[in-house]
Amino acid sequence: MRFFIDTAKVEDIRKANDMGVICGVTTNPSLIAKEGRKFEEVIAEITSIVDGPISGEVKATTVDAEGMINEGRAIASIHPNMVVKIPMTVEGLKACKVLSSEKTAVNMTLIFSANQALLAARAGAAYVSPFLGRLDDINQRGIDLISEIVKIFEKGNLNTQIIAASIRNPIHVTDCALAGADIATVPYSVIETMVKHPLTDAGIAKFQADYRAAFGE
Ligand code: E4P
């Protein structure tokens, strides 16, 4: 399983990229709004940091296929690594079909059922983003959705990649890797938590103490 970072905060993207653990970025309208900067400006900066797929979503207020297609073309023109993120609706599927036929990579987002993922794949989506945390929030097992989609895509020989999204903690990450998700898109705070282990810290402290006792600084 590969990692994308799920944020529009460039400092966090830079930190995760420097660690060498991420190979892409996902943003959404809420994450962009949180930064209080112009969409095109943030996205362009992100493309200069990470050399991999960068998902930029059509405006949250654009709900018709034609509008999504026009915005999608504009997003795709920002950089060759751009992926157009489109919400899972009938209009979204229509836009996905057109943009995918033009060789623009589409990430169908807000996927909450296996059938939605299957439809998105059939409409040509390069990626689907099932949201496991938001399902967990309403007492439905998000990880079961990831497992179902993995099985269905394997059986159907579908090339659409599964981005496990709405990841809230490190256990989600391990579960998604075990379930066979292609990618997990993870907030920076979760990446930081994944790095840490109290025994690693204790081990470093012990090695330092032993080294200093034997050799000084
Ligand atoms: C996916 O691409 C979304 O940006 C994201 O993972 C949503 O996460 P949330 O449910 O924590 O907002």
Side-chain angles (χ1 to χ4, degrees), residues 6-28:
D6 191 34
T7 185
K9 190 170 175 187
V10 290
E11 306 88 81
D12 286 352
I13 294 172
R14 226 179 273 283
K15 283 190 272 180
N17 191 56
D18 287 348
M19 275 187 227
V21 295
I22 58 154
C23 58
V25 181
T26 53
T27 64
N28 67 37

Side-chain angles (χ1 to χ4, degrees), residues 37-71:
R37 298 173 59 195
K38 258 188 85 191
F39 173 84
E40 293 77 8
E41 183 191 298
V42 187
I43 292 291
E45 192 172 348
I46 295 172
T47 60
S48 74
I49 302 169
V50 178
D51 185 17
I54 314 292
S55 286
E57 194 158 339
V58 295
K59 272 191 209 118
T61 47
T62 304
V63 291
D64 63 303
E66 204 189 322
M68 291 185 200
I69 293 164
N70 290 335
E71 276 178 38

Side-chain angles (χ1 to χ4, degrees), residues 6 26 85 109-110 128-134 146 162-168 172 176 183-186:
D6 191 34
T26 53
K85 210 171 173 192
T109 190
L110 291 166
V128 287
S129 290
F131 278 37
L132 81 156
R134 293 192 195 185
I146 306 290
I162 302 164
I163 306 179
S166 190
I167 299 263
R168 303 280 173 74
H172 276 161
C176 287
I183 298 147
T185 191
V186 184

Side-chain angles (χ1 to χ4, degrees), residues 58 62-69 86-99 106 108 123:
V58 295
T62 304
V63 291
D64 63 303
E66 204 189 322
M68 291 185 200
I69 293 164
I86 292 180
M88 177 63 205
T89 60
V90 170
E91 293 299 300
L93 285 171
K94 288 197 246 173
C96 175
K97 177 188 180 229
V98 173
L99 290 168
V106 171
M108 287 298 280

Side-chain angles (χ1 to χ4, degrees):
M1 186 175 78
R2 307 188 311 278
F3 290 111
F4 289 177
I5 187 167
D6 191 34
T7 185
K9 190 170 175 187
V10 290
E11 306 88 81
D12 286 352
I13 294 172
R14 226 179 273 283
K15 283 190 272 180
N17 191 56
D18 287 348
M19 275 187 227
V21 295
I22 58 154
C23 58
V25 181
T26 53
T27 64
N28 67 37
S30 306
L31 294 171
I32 294 279
K34 214 159 108 185
E35 296 312 302
R37 298 173 59 195
K38 258 188 85 191
F39 173 84
E40 293 77 8
E41 183 191 298
V42 187
I43 292 291
E45 192 172 348
I46 295 172
T47 60
S48 74
I49 302 169
V50 178
D51 185 17
I54 314 292
S55 286
E57 194 158 339
V58 295
K59 272 191 209 118
T61 47
T62 304
V63 291
D64 63 303
E66 204 189 322
M68 291 185 200
I69 293 164
N70 290 335
E71 276 178 38
R73 286 178 181 146
I75 292 170
S77 74
I78 297 174
H79 191 278
N81 284 344
M82 287 310 297
V83 174
V84 178
K85 210 171 173 192
I86 292 180
M88 177 63 205
T89 60
V90 170
E91 293 299 300
L93 285 171
K94 288 197 246 173
C96 175
K97 177 188 180 229
V98 173
L99 290 168
S100 301
S101 73
E102 295 172 357
K103 307 282 173 248
T104 291
V106 171
N107 173 359
M108 287 298 280
T109 190
L110 291 166
I111 298 281
F112 291 97
S113 77
N115 285 339
Q116 287 181 322
L118 187 51
L119 291 172
R122 286 299 176 209
Y127 304 94
V128 287
S129 290
F131 278 37
L132 81 156
R134 293 192 195 185
L135 281 171
D136 285 356
D137 290 346
I138 60 156
N139 202 27
Q140 287 182 27
R141 280 184 207 286
I143 195 62
D144 291 352
L145 173 61
I146 306 290
S147 303
E148 277 181 15
I149 300 173
V150 168
K151 253 188 240 155
I152 289 169
F153 282 12
E154 270 170 13
K155 281 186 195 294
N157 274 327
L158 292 164
N159 292 326
T160 303
Q161 296 196 51
I162 302 164
I163 306 179
S166 190
I167 299 263
R168 303 280 173 74
N169 57 57
I171 310 253
H172 276 161
V173 175
T174 310
D175 286 348
C176 287
L178 287 169
D182 298 289
I183 298 147
T185 191
V186 184
Y188 185 69
S189 59
V190 174
I191 297 177
E192 268 187 325
T193 312
M194 286 164 62
V195 173
K196 289 179 195 148
H197 195 286
L199 291 180
T200 304
D201 294 341
I204 290 170
K206 169 101 173 69
F207 286 159
Q208 286 179 341
D210 291 348
Y211 185 90
R212 283 196 188 104
F215 308 109
E217 242 352 273

